Amino acid sequence: MHLYNAWLPPPVAEEAKKERESFARVVKSVKESYREEDGDDSESVFATLKWISVIDLFIKAKSELNLEDVAALVEFGLHVFEASKDKIYVQVRWGSVLVKILNKYRKKLSLTVHWHPLYDALIQTHFTRSTGPEGWRIKQRHFETVTSLVRSCRRFFPPGSASEIWSECSPLLENPWHNSSFEGSGFVRLFLPTNAENREFFSQDWVGDLITIWGSIPNCPFWNSQFTAVLARVIKNYDHLTWEPLLPVLFTRFLNMFEVPVGSGGGSYPFSVDVPRNTRFLFSNKTSTPSKAVAKSIVHLLKPGGLAQEHLAKLVNLLEQYYHPSNGGRWTYSLERFLLYLVVMFQKRLQREQMTVDSSTHTEFFLGKEERRSFVIVALKLIERGQYSKNEQMSEAVAASTSILSYIDPSLVLPFVASRFQMALETMTATHQLKTAVTSVAYSGRSLFLSSVSAASDHADELANVESFSELLMVSLSNALLGMDANDPPKTLATIQLIGSIFSNMAALEDTTDEFSPISTIRFSEWLDEFFSRLFSLLLHLEPSSVVNEGLHTMTTSGTFLVEDGPFYFCVLEILLGRLSKPLYSQALKKISKFVQSNILSGAIAEVGLLCCACMHANPQEAVVHLIEPMLSTVISSMKGAPSTGFGGRKTFQSPYTRKEKLTISPALEAATDYMLKVLSVAISYGGPHILCYRDQLKEAIALAFESPSWKVNGGGDHLLRSVLGSLVLYYPLEQYRCVQRHSGAPLLEKWIGTKDYSVEEPLTAPKWHIPVEEEVSFANELLQLHLLSAMDELMKICQDKIHTDAGNEKDHLKVTLLQIDSSLQGVSSCLPDFRPSFMDAKAEDPSHSLFLVAGAIGSRVGSTDMRQKAADTMHGVCKYLLEEKSDDSILLILVVRIMDALVNYGSLEYEEWLQHRQAWKLEPRWALVDKAHMHNTWRSSQSSFHLYQTNRNVSPSNFAILLMDDVLKLALHSYETVRLLAGKSLLKMIKRWPSVVSRCMLTLTENLANPNAPEHAVLGSCTILSTQAVLEHLTMEPKAFTSFAFGILKSSRHETLKAQKAINELFVKFNIHFAGVSKSILKTSSSDGENFGDLIAQIGTMGSEANGLHWRYNLMANRLLLLLVMTSRGDPLLSSKILSETAGHFLKNLKSQLPQTRILAISALNILLKESPYKRSPEQLEISSGKLHGSTKSSLEGALVEIFQEKGFFSEIFDSLSHVHVTSDSDSTSSRVNGGTSSFQSVADKSI
């Protein structure tokens, strides 16, 4: 079991145990959905696609699955992939999920995968002239998917595959001056396996031949990239080959690939070889140096007593000058990647050698202490030069490399780190060096601790090193406080990262006299006082880096660099306060409490709030007394005497409400109250049961905030209500930063672990979770009664009973009441049960009988489904009222959209939180893994019921959800862009969750396009939704939706505004780019009004003729759609020869068109449609098909085309048209209703169309 799943909250972890059986049911269902007896052309392959997202869900959830089920699914997926030769979209979907499965289980599966079907899939789609109807984006995705699948399958290629692949591709490499050689090199790199089964193929002679072929094309980055990648894999996987004689050639090539300048030269190849654009596009080709492959080759060439180390030293001596800050250039990126990959590959090789227990492995090639030391000395040359690089990526790569090497040979690396840090402290001119030096110490913090403690306890002869390392730790910790400067953000963040790195290693922070402690001379009580003095000074001088949003929702974050530029600030406070001894925590808490109560820092709300939150997380019992209670008292006392509207849910206003004067509060009181409420809302996030004793004060503070006439204070109440509800009902880890296991060799340090350390036999100590108790759920229900149910009743009174005589008062009342509902829903998120789904079969109304299950819950259940349904019914009425009476009030409408989104899109709030979460450390202290486990549970809760509606046709959305979806659709077509965009995003989430509702939306959206009287904003909103990938993919599966879309586009020419035409053009271009074909069921089905496929072709063909009088752009669209339909359905026995003949005749007549774009498209169409002509077949094909043709080679198209050829003047008109070069613009076209032909966008769109 994966560590994240083992550490889930207990109720979720128990449910997750059922996922193994659930996955087995999914595999069975996937197989049953595919009917192989129908043949390769059956539509059943499309029926399997609905399960792809479910399979992907189990992979991302890291579920514990049976390997037999995984292997069966992989074999089935590969079979479907091979059977879908002419269905690129199916291959993209299945290929992508197979790649994920194979990459995850590659070492556990025992499979045999043949390479030729994958090779045929590439050749047929991307290396022949058989142009399919699919757009370039879907073809690009197909190539990326197939190549990724090949890379994942290479390890499963059977014996003899390498020989077959080389025999297939090597002839392409024989002529280096032919473009086929580049394709051959790409295929060799992609397909050639280097697994144990093909070991016998790779001989010394073959290596010599490969290097000879490599040298046949000099000065070509693409060529070098392919062969370097192949050699890197061969060098790594086969130790029976001798590389010593080839080292001079290899290292010379490696050096030349970096293209660094010599003297005044530019460094680029003077006579480089150009590669065909299509080949560069298709095959993996980084224009920069293949640094990863070079590094991998060098690391695995190193052997005890070998010459590779000498060649590496020479290479580094030549390259190190280009790492210097003054020698930067376009080569800097390649060199930075080379350094990092070199160190990372070396680390991985050492780890693999240490963990190898197989007796068959050649241990004589393992690197010893001397080889490791030599490598570190060489790498330090590059690190020393690049440490102060002006390139940010180079600086980070140097710091990361230093950290890795400090574990490999601390005696060499740590003195270097110490000397650079001391130098940076002493410098007076190059102050920028301090930030880089501090970062290096932060990255090497644990190595410093381990070296100090282990050396002090085990090796008395290394006392000098111990003292220097300990001194570095003490000096860095003491001087770090000087780096906290509001005027120097980079240095401040580096300092905070250093403090976090040091304290993440220590099991506890307390004053100690232990002689083995690396920082025993530091008095933490004094250091703590100085730290908070510096921190408070920093907070007092902070200024927001961006304008604070004072609109609908004021943000809790104030926008300063401490929270905007990374998560280090909050992590350091959590680590520090979580590991302090009780006396030191009390000392820190008193200082923090005094600071918070004596300062109003409107520019640092988030920073102060996070400081208080860290105190609460570390010790809520004490923090709630010293922080929460004083702030609550201050808020209540300051608001009690202030003017009140009575709109806070306590129904203190009189009905009807007749007051006309505008209530206000002073700006000072407003700012202070807003600040205190928002700090309190952040601080209380981890309060849990400890805030129950203040339930009355919290209810009063929230109600007073909503009753305030200030919108800013209302926003503070919004944050507080959300935070209190989340604190009560959500699952979150407790005591996350407290040490639970010490390092066996250094008891003063915490033991760090990794995700692979978990085992059922020796489970790691699981985190302690906040599981809501009955009193917390009761308080949450009480708050929902006050601010959700009562607020909904109040809303209905406002809208139905017209209790306000003044429009301004009514708007304020609506705003505050809607804000309460929004806050309540945001606070409890998916803890409020979802709508009950509707069932087509009344006997199957138990959703627990779902075919699949992925466990996930964000917290304990609160409220009921009836509460969500009542809210939906209320919001439907409110939306209708606002659209009729206040359709010009964007703030009210945005609140309505947010509430509807929270009601309908169950789990979306958790998904957005998971997306926005940022990890602080890439290393693995326990608290960081607990944080990742928490986020893993958050993601699981967002997905637990998301895919239910995609796989079970018996399950459909609740009627309440459909009601709100229709309202959101109306708002997505609103005249205000802000409302339109927000509602459009919400609607897109609904469409993804409920694919069955797409057709319901399509009717409205396409009608807006076809209706010439539809307003501009309706057209813009419709185009935005129709251009989303979810809708465009639905067109592939649903013929009626495609038909509706096609006619909607073609009938949209009468919209006169430039914005509308621009949006329609963009939509059509995007449709072409992402076009994935049309389901062949379109050939079988008829529309509701009796039209069949032939009628559809005829109508589109009519619209594509010049006699129709459409604007030339729409003429082009019609002809393009006609071509796409015929291309999709050609070769199908259901497509009559009459339709094919008429379509070919249509395009033949279009050769006489006066529109150049139409003529170009007609030529392309005829090339495609006439490709199957018997005159284009080989003699062998003609002989095979002679029986079917009864001895005649006459095409079914020939009769129709000959008639057109024999028309009087046909060829003279064609040649006259083709002889004129004329580009039609809008100003030239009499049928144009769009004024704006000079628009640069339209010219680009025209070209795309």
Side-chain angles (χ1 to χ4, degrees):
M1 181 179 289
H2 196 279
L3 181 69
Y4 298 164
N5 290 333
W7 281 4
L8 289 170
V12 182
E14 191 63 30
E15 281 292 307
K17 294 177 182 177
K18 303 175 185 177
E19 291 174 0
R20 188 190 298 264
E21 292 76 17
S22 177
F23 183 75
R25 292 197 300 272
V26 168
V27 174
K28 181 181 177 183
S29 300
V30 176
K31 290 182 176 180
E32 290 174 351
S33 65
Y34 178 68
R35 300 181 304 277
E36 189 171 7
E37 63 272 11
D38 290 351
D40 289 349
D41 292 331
S42 72
E43 290 294 300
S44 64
V45 290
F46 285 98
T48 64
L49 296 184
K50 65 184 179 183
W51 294 101
I52 298 293
S53 57
V54 178
I55 297 167
D56 189 45
L57 189 65
F58 281 96
I59 303 302
K60 290 180 179 177
K62 308 180 189 302
S63 303
E64 192 77 5
L65 309 176
N66 284 325
L67 283 180
E68 294 82 4
D69 295 327
V70 175
L73 180 64
V74 170
E75 291 175 353
F76 173 78
L78 288 170
H79 176 73
V80 173
F81 183 92
E82 185 177 348
S84 308
K85 294 178 181 178
D86 58 339
K87 302 176 182 66
I88 289 182
Y89 180 67
V90 176
Q91 289 191 334
V92 168
R93 296 294 307 280
W94 267 108
S96 60
V97 77
L98 285 172
V99 168
K100 293 177 183 178
I101 298 173
L102 289 170
N103 288 345
K104 181 175 182 180
Y105 293 96
R106 61 187 183 277
K107 295 182 180 179
K108 299 178 181 179
L109 292 175
S110 178
L111 297 170
T112 297
V113 180
H114 296 282
W115 67 275
H116 225 292
L118 299 172
Y119 181 75
D120 291 341
L122 275 183
I123 293 294
Q124 179 181 342
T125 308
H126 302 282
F127 292 91
T128 62
R129 287 182 174 270
S130 58
T131 308
E134 294 81 10
W136 70 263
R137 183 67 189 102
I138 197 75
K139 288 184 178 178
Q140 183 186 37
R141 286 176 60 196
H142 181 264
F143 189 86
E144 293 167 354
T145 301
V146 176
T147 51
S148 297
L149 185 59
V150 171
R151 285 191 288 269
S152 300
C153 291
R154 273 193 312 233
R155 64 168 50 237
F156 303 110
F157 285 176
S161 297
S163 177
E164 294 172 6
I165 292 167
W166 184 252
S167 299
E168 179 80 21
C169 301
S170 58
L172 300 175
L173 304 173
E174 291 175 357
N175 183 1
W177 305 112
H178 196 279
N179 287 340
S180 63
S181 61
F182 298 113
E183 292 182 6
S185 66
F187 283 125
V188 169
R189 174 185 180 173
L190 181 61
F191 280 92
L192 195 66
T194 53
N195 52 4
E197 288 76 6
N198 287 277
R199 179 186 179 92
E200 293 182 1
F201 170 76
F202 295 94
S203 64
Q204 204 70 42
D205 292 339
W206 179 86
V207 171
D209 293 342
L210 189 74
I211 292 180
T212 302
I213 296 172
W214 183 9
S216 64
I217 301 183
N219 307 338
C220 180
F222 176 88
W223 189 256
N224 290 336
S225 177
Q226 310 308 315
F227 282 92
T228 308
V230 173
L231 277 173
R233 288 194 286 119
V234 174
I235 292 170
K236 176 186 175 183
N237 294 321
Y238 301 123
D239 52 14
H240 67 281
L241 299 172
T242 302
W243 298 97
E244 299 288 317
L246 302 172
L247 291 180
V249 175
L250 290 177
F251 276 88
T252 301
R253 299 256 175 94
F254 294 158
L255 176 61
N256 289 339
M257 279 191 283
F258 285 103
E259 296 187 63
V260 291
V262 179
S264 59
S268 298
Y269 293 132
F271 306 105
S272 60
V273 179
D274 291 330
V275 180
R277 181 181 177 185
N278 187 56
T279 306
R280 288 201 315 271
F281 170 76
L282 290 176
F283 288 110
S284 176
N285 173 44
K286 301 289 176 62
T287 53
S288 57
T289 308
S291 303
K292 186 175 183 178
V294 172
K296 182 191 287 189
S297 300
I298 291 174
V299 165
H300 290 93
L301 285 170
L302 298 175
K303 294 178 182 178
L307 299 175
Q309 182 66 47
E310 296 179 14
H311 287 279
L312 174 60
K314 293 177 182 177
L315 179 66
V316 167
N317 287 337
L318 292 169
L319 291 179
E320 67 168 317
Q321 58 186 306
Y322 300 100
Y323 282 82
H324 193 277
S326 63
N327 281 347
R330 55 177 175 71
W331 50 85
T332 301
Y333 176 75
S334 297
L335 295 176
E336 171 258 313
R337 293 285 90 189
F338 173 66
L339 170 62
L340 188 60
Y341 283 130
L342 192 68
V343 174
V344 169
M345 295 290 179
F346 191 75
Q347 177 200 27
K348 287 182 177 179
R349 176 177 175 179
L350 294 182
Q351 287 176 334
R352 189 165 54 253
E353 290 178 356
Q354 289 176 357
M355 298 176 69
T356 298
V357 292
D358 188 359
S359 57
S360 63
T361 306
H362 296 285
T363 56
E364 65 271 15
F365 296 130
F366 286 6
L367 300 178
K369 186 175 181 180
E370 284 302 315
E371 288 77 31
R372 294 199 297 270
R373 190 175 182 85
S374 299
F375 178 86
V376 172
I377 290 173
V378 169
L380 277 177
K381 289 184 178 181
L382 302 181
I383 289 173
E384 185 176 5
R385 290 279 190 167
Q387 186 171 30
Y388 299 127
S389 174
K390 299 170 186 175
N391 183 287
E392 189 70 23
Q393 286 182 311
M394 176 67 85
S395 299
E396 291 179 2
V398 165
S401 302
T402 305
S403 173
I404 295 170
L405 294 177
S406 67
Y407 291 97
I408 297 174
D409 198 327
S411 63
L412 284 174
V413 179
L414 295 181
F416 165 77
V417 173
S419 64
R420 284 305 178 98
F421 183 73
Q422 190 63 38
M423 187 188 305
L425 286 177
E426 295 172 356
T427 183
M428 298 295 289
T429 55
T431 54
H432 66 279
Q433 293 183 2
L434 185 60
K435 183 257 180 186
T436 305
V438 167
T439 304
S440 295
V441 176
Y443 272 65
S444 307
R446 187 161 184 83
S447 181
L448 279 167
F449 270 108
L450 290 172
S451 300
S452 302
V453 175
S454 61
S457 56
D458 299 335
H459 306 288
D461 57 333
E462 296 184 12
L463 192 58
N465 279 341
V466 175
E467 291 176 353
S468 64
F469 298 159
S470 300
E471 183 182 358
L472 174 59
L473 285 169
M474 290 184 289
V475 169
S476 59
L477 198 55
S478 302
N479 285 277
L481 302 179
L482 302 175
M484 298 172 67
D485 184 355
N487 296 317
D488 193 345
K491 184 172 66 177
T492 302
L493 291 173
T495 299
I496 290 174
Q497 188 179 5
L498 171 62
I499 296 171
S501 174
I502 292 175
F503 290 158
S504 280
N505 290 281
M506 301 180 67
L509 302 179
E510 55 189 349
D511 289 328
T512 178
T513 57
D514 190 338
E515 60 178 335
F516 292 115
S517 174
I519 50 177
S520 57
T521 58
I522 289 185
R523 296 282 300 171
F524 268 111
S525 57
E526 298 174 3
W527 185 91
L528 205 59
D529 285 339
E530 183 64 21
F531 171 77
F532 282 112
S533 296
R534 294 272 180 178
L535 178 62
F536 297 155
S537 175
L538 176 65
L539 295 177
L540 287 168
H541 293 90
L542 278 179
E543 293 183 2
S545 56
S546 59
V547 178
V548 178
N549 175 23
E550 295 186 359
L552 174 63
H553 278 276
T554 54
M555 300 297 293
T556 304
T557 55
S558 52
T560 72
F561 68 88
L562 285 179
V563 294
E564 292 293 316
D565 294 351
F568 298 117
Y569 169 75
F570 183 50
C571 288
V572 165
L573 294 176
E574 291 266 39
I575 296 164
L576 174 62
L577 293 166
R579 302 203 172 180
L580 288 175
S581 62
K582 192 167 184 179
L584 290 178
Y585 176 83
S586 299
Q587 173 188 333
L589 184 60
K590 289 176 183 177
K591 291 182 73 70
I592 294 169
S593 177
K594 182 180 178 182
F595 173 76
V596 172
Q597 293 177 50
S598 57
N599 292 281
I600 303 294
L601 304 178
S602 298
I605 293 174
E607 289 75 6
V608 177
L610 291 172
L611 176 61
C612 298
C613 181
C615 291
M616 281 288 292
H617 205 184
N619 190 336
Q621 295 92 335
E622 289 192 37
V624 76
V625 175
H626 290 87
L627 288 174
I628 305 303
E629 184 179 2
M631 282 193 282
L632 268 175
S633 301
T634 303
V635 167
I636 293 172
S637 61
S638 63
M639 288 195 295
K640 264 190 173 179
S644 171
T645 61
F647 301 156
R650 297 189 292 184
K651 299 182 181 178
T652 56
F653 66 93
Q654 297 295 322
S655 179
Y657 193 88
T658 56
R659 179 185 291 155
K660 294 185 177 181
E661 67 273 16
K662 182 72 173 177
L663 298 176
T664 58
I665 61 174
S666 69
L669 177 61
E670 181 184 58
T673 308
D674 174 57
Y675 167 80
M676 201 61 73
L677 281 169
K678 288 179 179 174
V679 169
L680 185 60
S681 69
V682 181
I684 216 166
S685 301
Y686 298 112
H690 303 285
I691 64 174
L692 289 174
C693 54
Y694 302 102
R695 60 193 301 168
D696 292 334
Q697 293 96 313
L698 285 168
K699 285 194 296 183
E700 185 175 10
I702 293 168
L704 287 170
F706 283 125
E707 289 172 0
S708 172
S710 165
W711 180 240
K712 289 182 70 175
V713 176
N714 298 154
D718 159 44
H719 286 293
L720 182 57
L721 176 56
R722 271 193 279 171
S723 185
V724 170
L725 285 170
S727 177
L728 292 170
V729 302
L730 300 184
Y731 297 143
Y732 47 82
L734 302 174
E735 301 178 0
Q736 179 179 346
Y737 296 86
R738 191 166 297 174
C739 174
V740 297
Q741 193 171 9
R742 296 179 181 250
H743 195 285
S744 57
L748 295 172
L749 305 183
E750 182 187 32
K751 180 182 179 180
W752 282 13
I753 55 178
T755 54
K756 297 180 181 179
D757 292 339
Y758 181 83
S759 65
V760 179
E761 293 77 16
E762 298 181 10
L764 298 168
T765 305
K768 182 180 178 182
W769 288 89
H770 167 252
I771 307 297
V773 296
E774 186 178 345
E775 291 82 358
E776 291 177 88
V777 175
S778 173
F779 184 26
N781 279 320
E782 187 179 351
L783 289 173
L784 290 180
Q785 183 68 39
L786 285 170
H787 299 285
L788 182 60
L789 293 178
S790 297
M792 287 188 291
D793 294 337
E794 212 163 296
L795 265 183
M796 294 310 294
K797 281 185 180 180
I798 298 171
C799 298
Q800 292 178 356
D801 300 344
K802 309 285 186 176
I803 62 176
H804 288 279
T805 57
D806 181 75
N809 287 330
E810 184 185 44
K811 175 180 176 178
D812 292 340
H813 199 174
L814 282 169
K815 277 170 55 180
V816 172
T817 311
L818 288 170
L819 187 61
Q820 291 179 70
I821 297 173
D822 183 39
S823 305
S824 303
L825 294 173
Q826 298 275 341
V828 296
S829 54
S830 60
C831 293
L832 183 67
D834 194 11
F835 295 119
R836 299 183 189 92
S838 301
F839 294 90
M840 297 176 66
D841 181 4
K843 296 179 181 179
E845 290 193 3
D846 184 6
S848 63
H849 289 40
S850 164
L851 282 172
F852 69 94
L853 173 139
V854 170
I858 195 68
S860 293
R861 176 170 171 157
V862 65
S864 64
T865 300
D866 293 338
M867 194 178 289
R868 192 180 284 267
Q869 290 176 348
K870 181 181 178 181
D873 197 35
T874 302
M875 291 309 301
H876 174 65
V878 171
C879 181
K880 182 180 179 182
Y881 173 78
L882 291 179
L883 287 175
E884 292 174 354
E885 303 291 334
K886 296 182 179 293
S887 63
D888 60 343
D889 196 315
S890 62
I891 291 182
L892 292 177
L893 292 176
I894 287 174
L895 278 168
V896 167
V897 174
R898 285 174 56 87
I899 293 169
M900 288 182 170
D901 183 63
L903 285 171
V904 181
N905 291 315
Y906 184 81
S908 66
L909 296 173
E910 290 83 350
Y911 188 75
E912 288 168 8
E913 181 187 354
W914 174 76
L915 279 180
Q916 294 169 5
H917 186 73
R918 293 176 296 179
Q919 299 291 344
W921 266 261
K922 292 183 180 180
L923 302 176
E924 304 297 328
R926 182 179 183 276
W927 63 263
L929 292 177
V930 173
D931 189 49
K932 292 176 181 178
H934 181 205
M935 283 298 105
H936 185 61
N937 181 61
T938 302
W939 175 84
R940 275 175 162 269
S941 67
S942 73
Q943 302 294 311
S944 58
S945 65
F946 185 82
H947 298 275
L948 173 66
Y949 301 88
Q950 300 177 9
T951 56
N952 192 344
R953 290 185 177 180
N954 187 49
V955 184
S956 58
S958 163
N959 292 333
F960 292 98
I962 296 294
L963 206 62
L964 293 186
M965 189 201 72
D966 290 341
D967 291 333
V968 172
L969 177 58
K970 293 176 185 175
L971 292 167
L973 308 176
H974 196 268
S975 56
Y976 285 177
E977 186 178 11
T978 51
V979 177
R980 203 164 59 234
L981 292 177
L982 190 64
K985 289 179 181 178
S986 179
L987 182 65
L988 181 59
K989 287 186 262 185
M990 299 176 197
I991 288 173
K992 288 180 177 178
R993 188 183 185 197
W994 301 316
S996 60
V997 304
V998 179
S999 299
R1000 184 187 183 93
C1001 299
M1002 285 290 291
L1003 187 61
T1004 302
L1005 298 173
T1006 53
E1007 278 181 356
N1008 286 330
L1009 296 185
N1011 182 6
N1013 299 319
E1016 179 188 80
H1017 55 79
V1019 176
L1020 296 178
S1022 298
C1023 289
T1024 300
I1025 298 166
L1026 288 171
S1027 63
T1028 58
Q1029 191 169 345
V1031 174
L1032 292 177
E1033 287 182 352
H1034 184 75
L1035 302 181
T1036 304
M1037 313 293 293
E1038 182 55 54
K1040 290 183 180 180
F1042 178 85
T1043 304
S1044 174
F1045 176 86
F1047 285 119
I1049 282 276
L1050 296 179
K1051 293 178 181 179
S1052 64
S1053 61
R1054 295 182 182 177
H1055 293 288
E1056 297 186 351
T1057 66
L1058 181 61
K1059 281 187 178 180
Q1061 284 298 321
K1062 178 179 177 181
I1064 293 167
N1065 284 349
E1066 281 184 323
L1067 171 60
F1068 188 74
V1069 170
K1070 196 164 186 180
F1071 162 75
N1072 275 271
I1073 290 172
H1074 293 274
F1075 183 70
V1078 181
S1079 171
K1080 290 188 179 179
S1081 59
I1082 197 172
L1083 303 173
K1084 310 171 188 176
T1085 58
S1086 298
S1087 61
S1088 57
D1089 54 1
E1091 292 182 348
N1092 56 26
F1093 183 68
D1095 296 330
L1096 174 64
I1097 292 289
Q1099 286 188 54
I1100 296 178
T1102 301
M1103 300 178 80
S1105 66
E1106 289 189 26
N1108 191 271
L1110 279 177
H1111 180 275
W1112 68 265
R1113 202 175 277 115
Y1114 285 85
N1115 176 285
L1116 197 60
M1117 290 179 184
N1119 281 295
R1120 174 64 175 163
L1121 280 169
L1122 181 63
L1123 178 60
L1124 290 178
L1125 278 173
V1126 176
M1127 288 172 68
T1128 301
S1129 52
R1130 64 177 174 171
D1132 194 285
L1134 293 173
L1135 181 63
S1136 69
S1137 58
K1138 179 183 176 183
I1139 292 176
L1140 194 58
S1141 302
E1142 289 177 352
T1143 306
H1146 169 84
F1147 283 113
L1148 189 61
K1149 290 178 180 178
N1150 276 356
L1151 292 178
K1152 300 189 294 182
S1153 171
Q1154 298 299 311
L1155 303 174
Q1157 297 91 340
T1158 302
R1159 293 198 300 269
I1160 293 171
L1161 183 60
I1163 293 170
S1164 299
L1166 289 170
N1167 277 333
I1168 294 166
L1169 296 176
L1170 301 181
K1171 189 166 187 181
E1172 303 303 321
S1173 166
Y1175 303 109
K1176 306 286 282 187
R1177 299 180 185 178
S1178 65
E1180 293 80 7
Q1181 291 174 318
L1182 284 173
E1183 186 177 348
I1184 293 171
S1185 59
S1186 60
K1188 298 179 182 178
L1189 295 173
H1190 305 290
S1192 171
T1193 61
K1194 186 172 182 178
S1195 168
S1196 60
L1197 297 174
E1198 190 168 336
L1201 300 185
V1202 166
E1203 282 186 28
I1204 299 173
F1205 289 151
Q1206 292 176 346
E1207 289 180 4
K1208 186 177 180 180
F1210 174 76
F1211 286 104
S1212 61
E1213 289 182 38
I1214 285 181
F1215 291 132
D1216 286 342
S1217 297
L1218 295 178
S1219 64
H1220 297 295
V1221 179
H1222 177 65
V1223 178
T1224 304
S1225 68
D1226 286 329
S1227 57
D1228 296 330
S1229 176
T1230 57
S1231 61
S1232 171
R1233 299 178 63 92
V1234 181
N1235 182 16
T1238 58
S1239 166
S1240 61
F1241 166 81
Q1242 290 189 342
S1243 62
V1244 173
D1246 298 343
K1247 186 176 179 182
S1248 300
I1249 293 171

